[in-house]
Amino acid sequence: MKTHVIALCFSLVASISSVSAQTALITGQAPAGQNLQEIVSTVQKVILGAMAGDRAMVQTYMAPNVELTFVGRKLAAADEIGKFNSTRYKWVKKSIDRWDVGYSGNEIMVYSLGTLYGEWTDGTPFKGNRYIDRFIIVDGKITKMDVWNDSAEILMIRAGLVKD
């Protein structure tokens, strides 16, 4: 199981690293004195670090009381994402379509939008699985991360629990 989780993490890193912040559309507005590209690059580093299990690097960007919600589940640490993914996917990759950045007061909100593709744990391929990741940054630290995707709905349809 541990080897499977590590392989999944490296697969995620390879896929995300192949999509740079420069190739995906970046929209929005940064607070005065800050740069949209730099904000997006920072969040992208955190995504890559979390998927690779680089706790030290990820912790440098996380607030001490960071809140992590991953498709409805509260996680204690970002390195739990790979473990959770291994229960749904044999492998999964992100195709990042856009980054949206905005701010309100001292909070910077960064959204990553795109699709997931890969294989379910039974080896069945999938693509076009929409996702949205939201990061809230205060004083240069991520205070909140929320992740949504269509996997649960797709799995319910595949299991015959709901009609397509």
Side-chain angles (χ1 to χ4, degrees), residues 6-72:
I6 292 169
L8 178 64
C9 289
F10 282 116
S11 174
L12 286 167
V13 169
S15 68
I16 295 172
S17 63
S18 69
V19 179
S20 71
Q22 290 86 10
T23 59
L25 175 67
I26 300 174
T27 66
Q29 186 174 7
Q34 296 193 39
N35 178 285
L36 281 177
Q37 179 65 46
E38 289 174 13
I39 293 168
V40 167
S41 293
T42 297
V43 171
Q44 190 170 29
K45 286 178 197 173
V46 170
I47 292 171
L48 291 171
M51 295 298 145
D54 187 346
R55 290 181 188 183
M57 190 284 294
V58 171
Q59 288 307 321
T60 63
Y61 294 101
M62 297 283 184
N65 58 344
V66 64
E67 295 177 39
L68 303 169
T69 306
F70 195 77
V71 292

Side-chain angles (χ1 to χ4, degrees), residues 21 25-31 34-44 98-104 107-113 133-137:
L25 175 67
I26 300 174
T27 66
Q29 186 174 7
Q34 296 193 39
N35 178 285
L36 281 177
Q37 179 65 46
E38 289 174 13
I39 293 168
V40 167
S41 293
T42 297
V43 171
Q44 190 170 29
R98 68 184 293 150
W99 297 90
D100 293 331
V101 180
Y103 67 96
S104 177
E107 290 186 339
I108 299 173
M109 291 141 296
V110 180
Y111 291 82
S112 171
L113 296 89
D133 296 342
R134 178 180 67 176
F135 299 83
I136 305 295
I137 303 169

